[in-house]
Structures are given as structure tokens and as C-alpha cells.
Amino acid sequence: MSDLTLTEPEVFTGHTDVICSTSIERIVTGRNAALTQIESLIQQLDDISTLTRSIGGKTALDWAMKQDFRCGCWLMEKREAAMKAITHNLDRGIWRDLMKQSGMLSLMDAAAREQWYNSLEKDDIPVVSEENILSTFEQLHLNKGEVFERGVINVFKGLSWDYRTNSPCKFGTKIIVTGLVKCDRWGFGLNWGWQRDRLADLERMLMILDGKPVPDNRADVTCRLGDHIHANRHCNRYEDEMFAIRYFQKGTAHISFKRPELVDKLNDIIAKHYPGMLPSQSSTTN
């Protein structure tokens, strides 16, 4: 996977330009300028509140809020606590945007993406600085092959070995998953959950291995499958360029791969991480 390439947007590639021609300097300078102005604004509101309270008009928490809609606002809290929370919230948003632009999210499976987003909710997220942006995305760029391969392995390990079609050694011509769909008196419906995420992960991995752009999450296979099921509630088949899917009333789905050469590439990754599990190509016959 050392030769793994990404379609646009591209992952960080240099020391002066960052994702999608975004300037690191502009981001950091804008962030620091905004925090300085916010701190000044907090001090101004505090000074005004001191004045209005002295003349019987109470504070900004009273006269700046809509009647009966009083709620919390960090701009009206003590400066030290407010700046800590505001800085944390601002940096979290910037990191999310940078990660989205980097293209790295397309390489991650659902579990890795959830882990990344959860890490941003902690109190010790890195400060947005030029040094931290450079080091973070340089490391991500260096490890992008490993990130992708880990996603393949996670999807593979998530398969149930209760079905003979699901080989514990490789991806076969098809896989069987449970709980992808539901069925009631109105017909079929697509479930939310890990099986849905796993199907989206599979499509994304196959598209990357095929050198094609990764579908937006609003147009990936799960959305297309969901739309198909909604429009054809009593149909139990779906097909696109990558998959032929047949689903059943008990909730199971048989997902057949239509591009065996791409499945071979997935199995190459599995063989790399689990040497000896797959027989050599010369010893296999189809």
C-alpha cells in the first residue's frame, strides 16, 4: 500500500501549502486574531455590565437576552473560564475542517472516524498552531497506507463466521451480513447501525483501490440502497457497479462483489497482515 494514491482533495504534501491550497499561516493568524478580539469583547461586556448594574439596569445576562429565553453564553462569563471554553470550541471546529479537507477521512473506516471525532471532545486537544498542523498532517500523510489497511482489516474482522460464505481467511465472491435491513407489513427498510457503516466502508475502499473518487456520504451505497428500498418496498434486490445485494425478511443480506480484481487487492492486504492465511495464487483454482 506504499503506492496508495488519493483523488482530490489531496492529503497534505508540503511545508508551506496545506490541504486544498489552504494557508496554514492564514488559519493560525485568523484564529489568534479572533481570540484576541473575543477576549477584548468579553472585557467590554463586563465593563458595560458593571456600569449598568451600578445604575440599576442589571447585567448583560439580563438586558442582552430575549425575554424568557435566557441561556448560557460564554461571552458573558468570567474571562478566564470563557476564553478557555471558546478557544477549545474554536480549535475543535478548525481541526474538524482541516481533517475534512485533508482527504484522510475517506481512508478511515467508521470506527476510526468515530475515534477521531471523540478525541476532539476531550479537554487536551492540540492547540491550533502552525507547528501542530504541520506535524499532525505530515504524520497522517506518512501513515495513510496504514490507516487504509487498518480499515480493511476492521471491516474483515467484523464479518460473522456463522456463515460458510464468509471465509475467515479472505473476502470471497460474496459476504453475508445480518441486520442490514428490516421487514414489516409495509415491506423492507434499511437499518441504521454498524452493518450500514460497514457497507459504506466497503464501497469506499473499493473505489479507492479502483482509483475513483469516493462518493459523498449523501450519495454513497447506503443512501442509494435506502432510496431504492424506499421506492421498492417489496423488492429484495439491489445492484450497482460494485455490488449485487439480495436481502431477506429475517434481516440478512447477501452482498456479492462485482469486481473480483478489487477483491483480490483487499485480500492482498489481509495476507500482508496475516501471513499464511491465504494460499498462493498459483495453488488456487476457481
Side-chain angles (χ1 to χ4, degrees):
M1 290 299 293
S2 59
D3 59 346
L4 176 65
T5 57
L6 295 178
T7 53
E8 292 296 334
E10 184 56 88
V11 175
F12 174 89
T13 56
H15 290 278
T16 56
D17 297 318
V18 81
I19 316 102
C20 296
S21 302
T22 301
S23 167
I24 296 177
E25 182 179 1
R26 181 179 65 84
I27 293 172
V28 175
T29 300
R31 177 251 190 200
N32 293 340
L35 289 174
T36 298
Q37 293 181 52
I38 290 170
E39 186 172 16
S40 176
L41 177 59
I42 291 173
Q43 184 59 56
Q44 291 180 50
L45 284 171
D46 187 56
D47 292 343
I48 295 170
S49 290
T50 299
L51 171 60
T52 55
R53 184 172 55 245
S54 70
I55 60 175
K58 299 184 179 180
T59 68
L61 283 170
D62 300 290
W63 46 257
M65 296 294 182
K66 290 183 179 180
Q67 188 175 5
D68 298 327
F69 286 91
R70 181 168 175 171
C71 59
C73 178
W74 283 114
L75 292 174
M76 298 175 187
E77 299 294 338
K78 295 295 183 181
R79 181 167 55 180
E80 182 177 351
M83 288 307 300
K84 180 179 179 180
I86 290 172
T87 300
H88 186 85
N89 291 338
L90 183 61
D91 285 354
R92 183 192 298 120
I94 293 173
W95 281 120
R96 283 176 175 166
D97 188 63
L98 284 171
M99 194 65 164
K100 181 179 180 180
Q101 293 186 56
S102 74
M104 285 300 301
L105 289 176
S106 66
L107 296 179
M108 295 180 176
D109 65 304
R113 292 194 302 273
E114 183 179 26
Q115 183 180 15
W116 163 258
Y117 286 123
N118 287 342
S119 71
L120 294 180
E121 299 302 321
K122 298 179 179 179
D123 293 332
D124 59 347
I125 64 172
V127 171
V128 172
S129 66
E130 183 173 353
E131 179 182 1
N132 285 341
I133 293 174
L134 285 169
S135 62
T136 297
F137 285 99
E138 282 178 338
Q139 191 62 42
L140 286 171
H141 181 65
L142 288 173
N143 295 337
K144 64 180 182 180
E146 294 179 14
V147 170
F148 179 79
E149 291 181 0
R150 187 165 60 244
V152 173
I153 297 301
N154 285 343
V155 170
F156 174 71
K157 290 167 63 177
L159 296 177
S160 171
W161 310 131
D162 293 338
Y163 300 97
R164 285 183 297 175
T165 302
N166 294 345
S167 168
C169 300
K170 64 178 182 177
F171 284 104
T173 56
K174 74 175 181 179
I175 58 175
I176 299 177
V177 299
T178 59
L180 181 64
V181 298
K182 58 186 176 181
C183 188
D184 54 31
R185 60 179 178 173
W186 293 284
F188 285 103
L190 185 64
N191 281 328
W192 290 94
W194 280 107
Q195 296 293 19
R196 184 175 181 144
D197 292 338
R198 188 170 290 119
L199 178 58
D201 286 339
L202 268 176
E203 180 190 43
R204 187 175 61 257
M205 293 165 184
L206 292 172
M207 296 296 280
I208 289 174
L209 290 172
D210 199 30
K212 294 183 178 179
V214 176
D216 183 272
N217 60 3
R218 294 165 295 184
D220 65 19
V221 62
T222 63
C223 291
R224 301 193 306 273
L225 176 60
D227 290 343
H228 171 80
I229 291 176
H230 182 73
N232 305 273
R233 297 298 297 270
H234 297 286
C235 175
N236 72 335
R237 295 177 182 270
Y238 167 83
E239 190 167 345
D240 60 24
E241 64 175 312
M242 290 293 180
F243 305 108
I245 303 175
R246 186 180 179 189
Y247 37 94
F248 301 86
Q249 292 182 0
K250 60 182 179 179
T252 57
H254 293 203
I255 303 173
S256 298
F257 297 103
K258 297 179 65 176
R259 299 285 302 279
E261 74 279 10
L262 299 181
V263 178
D264 288 342
K265 292 183 178 181
L266 291 177
N267 286 330
D268 286 343
I269 295 172
I270 296 171
K272 174 182 175 181
H273 286 261
Y274 299 101
M277 286 185 63
L278 297 180
S280 63
Q281 293 291 336
S282 60
S283 64
T284 58
T285 58
N286 294 323

